[in-house]
């Protein structure tokens, strides 16, 4: 199996480099002759995943599949631990914080080059921040979320950014911001080549240029993204691979079969029902990704009939989440009662659980304004770590709702369209979820429930939650900060803009020939230390 797997990878890479050698200089995604390599004895892996990236410019997107690729092209000032969200030096080798918590001084690595040969330095970092700060929520959604708006906005938390010499970068805040270091380790705040993004503008996401261990080579939409080794990488001896191919394979069974046949080396998003198949094959191993996620049933709260809290609460009692967890996750999920991962600071163990109670649901339904009209229940078209089979989960929920007198019709759309339409508030009921990008409770709670949050697909707006989110972001006392997030969770339970369903343990499988692969809880896997035997 090892020879077949390596053979496939080498053939794909050889075909790609032959194409590059023959193509013209202005071909989209082409690399210069300096990027051509002899494929003899080269190490490559094929990483099978459930969906394609939306863009390869991580500052413009919110989806995990985009971040998964970008993590290996770009780098951030700080990085997370191998399998946690502790912050460690990245492109910044040292960080100093002022006593008042408002001035952050970063000492940068020297002799680092972007893939286009230009210098990484403090001025390049400033230009990245200025790009984000002078943008808009449509262009840079995570910047808006994590830094409370843009330059000139009342709540924008950054006072200024500046370079102090070539290798010192300084952020001045208007007030303390506790999640700042975690935010700066997020893929969304990767440092890109100013020369490249100034030249390519909105097309930068199709030809990304970072400082990371791998260079972008080619993107075939809805098929594959090919990365090649950055021969000039600043960390000695890395990366160990010569190339990575990210292969989009939406069908769970097809992806697993591709792993079993040696067509791919890593399969992300293994369906829980396939655990026994993986465990019975002595050539592959099952990998559990640490769980930082939540899958939920969303309700568009500014759209009738979901403006009615009684209806939202009725639905919350109508859904049998334990059966969903048992049936579709094979014991690899916990029933969720909060829309934030249990490992988060301030997770509220005392939040009441919406127990499965059809009679209570019927009683609440009678008190509501629901008129019996058929509602649309949107099911995700692709597997996600928090929900490997959205269609089947939707069917189970549809039956639960029918049992209490709520008629639904299951609909779906292509993935990018699904995200766009749910964000626009077009759905009635919808399945979605998320994985924390940095481990801090500010991340998911703000993304999901700030009235301007980029993932606030339920269109939720609550003045008290709004105040608490801002307070939690600036509170320097850890115990007080915990209490703030516990209060938020209690309000969200009562208001029920979403029904948290499960916290899943995402599953992957890999060939035994793949060594030193560490599945990261944020889903953005760093592949620079991976080898193939």
């Amino acid at each position: 199996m090892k020879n077949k797997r390596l053979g496939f990878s080498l053939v794909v890479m050889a075909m790609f480099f032959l194409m590059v050698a023959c193509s013209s200089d202005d071909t989209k995604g082409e690399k210069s002759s300096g990027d051509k390599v002899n494929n003899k004895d080269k190490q490559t892996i094929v990483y099978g995943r459930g969906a394609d990236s939306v863009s390869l410019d991580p500052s413009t997107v919110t989806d995990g599949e985009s971040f998964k690729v970008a993590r290996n092209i770009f780098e951030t000032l700080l990085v997370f631990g191998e399998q946690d969200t502790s912050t460690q030096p990245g492109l910044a080798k040292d960080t100093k914080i002022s006593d008042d918590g408002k001035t952050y001084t970063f000492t940068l690595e020297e002799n680092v080059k972007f893939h286009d040969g230009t210098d990484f330095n403090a001025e390049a970092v400033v230009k990245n921040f200025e790009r984000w700060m002078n943008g808009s929520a449509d262009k840079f959604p995570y910047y808006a979320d994590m830094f409370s708006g843009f330059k000139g906005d009342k709540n924008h938390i950054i006072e200024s950014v500046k370079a102090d010499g070539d290798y010192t970068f300084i952020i001045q805040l208007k007030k303390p911001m506790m999640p700042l270091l975690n935010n700066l380790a997020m893929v969304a705040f990767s440092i890109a080549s100013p020369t490249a993004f100034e030249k390519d503008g909105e097309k930068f996401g199709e030809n990304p240029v970072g400082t990371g261990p791998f260079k972008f080579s080619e993107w075939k939409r809805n098929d594959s993204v090919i990365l090649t080794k950055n021969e000039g990488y600043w960390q000695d001896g890395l990366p160990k691979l010569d190339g990575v191919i990210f292969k989009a394979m939406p069908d769970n069974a097809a992806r697993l079969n591709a792993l079993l046949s040696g067509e791919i080396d890593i399969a992300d998003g293994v369906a829980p029902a396939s655990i026994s198949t993986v465990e019975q094959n002595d050539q592959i191993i099952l990998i559990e990704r640490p769980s930082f996620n939540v899958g939920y049933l969303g309700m568009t709260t500014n759209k009738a009939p979901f403006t009615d809290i009684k209806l939202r609460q009725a639905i919350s009692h109508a859904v049998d989440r334990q059966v969903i967890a048992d049936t579709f996750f094979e014991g690899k999920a916990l029933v969720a009662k909060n829309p934030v991962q249990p490992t988060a600071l301030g997770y509220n163990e005392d939040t009441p659980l919406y127990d499965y109670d059809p009679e209570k649901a019927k009683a609440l339904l009678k008190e509501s304004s629901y008129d019996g009209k058929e509602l649309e229940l949107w099911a995700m078209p692709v597997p996600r770590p928090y929900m490997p089979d959205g269609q089947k989960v939707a069917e189970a929920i549809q039956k639960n709702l029918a049992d209490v007198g709520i008629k639904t019709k299951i609909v779906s759309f292509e993935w990018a369209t699904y995200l766009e339409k749910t964000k626009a508030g077009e759905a009635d009921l919808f399945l979605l979820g998320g994985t924390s990008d940095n481990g801090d409770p500010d991340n998911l709670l703000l993304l999901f429930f700030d009235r301007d949050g980029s993932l606030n697909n339920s269109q939720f707006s609550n003045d008290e939650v709004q105040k608490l989110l801002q307070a939690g972001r600036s509170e320097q006392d850890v115990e007080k900060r915990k209490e703030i997030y516990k209060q938020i969770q209690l309000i969200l339970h009562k208001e029920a803009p979403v029904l948290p369903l499960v916290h899943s343990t995402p599953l992957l499988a890999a060939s035994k020939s793949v060594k030193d692969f560490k599945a990261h809880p944020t889903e953005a896997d760093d592949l620079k230390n991976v080898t193939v035997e």
Side-chain angles (χ1 to χ4, degrees):
M1 181 170 286
K2 179 173 70 174
N3 291 337
K4 184 188 295 184
R5 185 165 48 250
L6 288 174
F8 171 80
S9 300
L10 293 173
V11 168
V12 173
M13 293 296 287
M15 290 177 65
F16 164 67
F17 288 113
L18 179 61
M19 178 190 72
V20 169
C22 297
S23 59
S24 65
D25 288 343
D26 60 356
T27 299
K28 174 180 160 183
E30 184 198 68
K31 295 287 133 186
S32 68
S33 59
D35 292 314
K36 299 170 190 172
V37 297
N38 182 339
N39 278 310
K40 184 179 180 181
D41 298 326
K42 293 293 178 180
Q43 285 206 337
T44 67
I45 63 168
V46 183
Y47 188 120
R49 56 193 182 137
D52 196 11
S53 302
V54 174
S55 171
L56 300 183
D57 178 357
S59 64
T60 65
V61 293
T62 61
D63 68 295
E65 295 302 342
S66 295
F67 294 148
K68 192 169 288 162
V69 178
R71 171 60 79 191
N72 293 282
I73 299 172
F74 297 94
E75 292 177 298
T76 44
L77 293 178
L78 301 171
V79 298
F80 293 130
E82 272 194 345
Q83 290 191 289
D84 59 35
T85 51
S86 61
T87 55
Q88 302 176 11
L91 288 173
K93 60 184 178 182
D94 183 64
T95 304
K96 288 185 171 58
I97 307 171
S98 63
D99 290 341
D100 65 2
K102 295 195 289 188
T103 304
Y104 286 70
T105 303
F106 301 91
T107 303
L108 307 180
E109 289 284 353
E110 301 179 23
N111 302 315
V112 177
K113 297 279 188 181
F114 290 106
H115 299 157
D116 57 8
T118 58
D119 291 332
F120 164 79
N121 52 33
E123 189 57 38
V125 179
V126 168
K127 286 184 177 180
N128 274 267
F129 271 83
E130 288 179 340
R131 179 190 183 216
W132 303 327
M133 290 165 64
N134 291 302
S136 64
D138 288 340
K139 288 184 178 179
F140 306 120
Y142 265 18
Y143 186 88
D145 290 325
M146 298 296 102
F147 296 98
S148 299
F150 297 90
K151 192 172 183 178
D153 292 346
K154 177 183 176 182
N155 293 323
H156 186 225
I157 205 163
I158 294 181
E159 181 70 42
S160 65
V161 294
K162 69 176 182 179
D164 183 9
D166 288 341
Y167 298 105
T168 301
F169 170 68
I170 301 171
I171 296 178
Q172 183 69 43
L173 302 177
K174 295 176 183 176
K175 58 183 178 180
M177 181 184 182
M178 295 309 292
L180 178 65
L181 297 183
N182 286 69
N183 287 352
L184 294 179
M186 290 166 54
V187 187
F189 304 115
S190 298
I191 304 302
S193 162
T195 301
F197 66 66
E198 288 170 359
K199 172 179 173 286
D200 290 339
E202 292 185 1
K203 295 288 186 180
F204 179 70
E206 298 175 7
N207 193 25
V209 180
T211 62
F214 297 95
K215 292 182 174 183
F216 169 72
S217 288
E218 183 188 27
W219 185 9
K220 295 180 181 178
R221 289 276 186 176
N222 298 312
D223 179 49
S224 59
V225 179
I226 299 177
L227 308 183
T228 56
K229 182 175 185 174
N230 176 10
E231 298 288 353
Y233 188 52
W234 60 279
Q235 295 190 43
D236 291 342
L238 298 174
K240 296 178 181 178
L241 292 170
D242 295 291
V244 180
I245 302 169
F246 288 92
K247 185 78 173 171
M249 309 179 78
D251 184 77
N252 288 336
R255 198 178 328 109
L256 180 57
N257 285 336
L259 178 66
L260 295 172
S261 69
E263 181 183 343
I264 64 176
D265 302 287
I266 298 173
D268 193 15
V270 171
S274 299
I275 291 174
S276 60
T277 301
V278 174
E279 291 180 336
Q280 289 168 15
N281 189 305
D282 61 5
Q283 296 300 309
I284 59 178
I285 56 173
L286 187 71
I287 300 168
E288 293 188 358
R289 188 185 298 282
S291 179
F292 266 33
N293 65 40
V294 63
Y296 67 75
L297 173 66
M299 297 169 254
T300 307
T301 58
N302 66 351
K303 178 181 180 182
F306 295 99
T307 52
D308 189 337
I309 191 172
K310 294 286 188 182
L311 174 59
R312 303 198 301 267
Q313 292 174 340
I315 288 171
S316 299
H317 279 295
V319 177
D320 193 338
R321 290 176 288 173
Q322 189 63 58
V323 166
I324 288 173
D326 293 343
T327 305
F328 304 114
F329 292 86
E330 302 285 332
K332 297 296 183 180
L334 298 173
V335 170
K337 59 182 178 181
N338 291 307
V340 64
Q341 73 275 19
T343 55
L345 178 79
Y347 178 82
N348 197 337
E349 293 282 0
D350 297 325
T351 301
L353 183 71
Y354 274 108
D355 55 321
Y356 172 58
D357 190 337
E359 295 307 313
K360 192 168 186 177
K362 289 177 184 177
L364 284 164
L365 199 60
K366 285 182 180 179
E367 297 175 18
S368 77
S369 58
Y370 176 62
D371 60 3
K373 178 184 175 183
E374 183 179 71
L375 304 172
E376 287 188 346
L377 170 57
W378 290 22
M380 295 176 300
V382 296
R384 303 305 303 138
Y386 47 80
M387 206 169 297
D389 196 328
Q391 178 67 30
K392 285 194 168 86
V393 172
E395 290 169 3
I397 292 173
Q398 182 182 48
K399 184 180 184 306
N400 284 160
L401 296 181
D403 289 344
V404 301
I406 301 173
K407 295 182 290 185
T408 59
K409 174 186 178 183
I410 296 175
V411 297
S412 193
F413 303 90
E414 182 271 331
W415 182 227
T417 304
Y418 187 94
L419 293 174
E420 181 182 343
K421 284 179 170 290
T422 52
K423 183 176 180 179
E426 295 181 23
D428 291 330
L429 294 155
F430 58 93
L431 289 172
L432 259 178
T435 298
S436 176
D437 300 285
N438 64 17
D440 193 275
D442 174 78
N443 182 247
L444 282 186
L445 289 175
L446 186 137
L447 290 172
F448 288 162
F449 304 113
D450 185 286
R451 62 170 57 100
D452 295 317
S454 62
L455 300 181
N456 183 4
N457 294 4
S458 64
Q459 316 299 313
F460 180 69
S461 179
N462 180 282
D463 290 343
E464 184 63 19
V465 168
Q466 205 71 18
K467 290 176 185 176
L468 289 169
L469 285 170
Q470 293 305 314
R473 172 167 282 192
S474 299
E475 179 55 63
Q476 294 178 283
D477 184 298
V478 173
E479 292 306 315
K480 289 180 180 178
R481 197 164 182 247
K482 286 180 183 178
E483 290 306 313
I484 288 170
Y485 290 116
K486 286 180 179 181
Q487 288 180 57
I488 292 173
Q489 290 163 72
L490 289 174
I491 295 170
L492 293 173
H493 173 267
K494 178 182 176 183
E495 294 292 322
V498 304
L499 174 65
L501 296 173
V502 294
H503 302 292
S504 74
T505 298
L507 302 174
L508 305 87
S511 162
K512 282 190 173 178
S513 65
V514 175
K515 303 298 182 183
D516 296 319
F517 170 76
K518 304 290 185 183
H520 200 268
T522 65
E523 299 178 34
D525 299 321
D526 183 349
L527 302 177
K528 66 177 177 287
N529 289 296
V530 173
T531 59
V532 181
E533 283 189 347

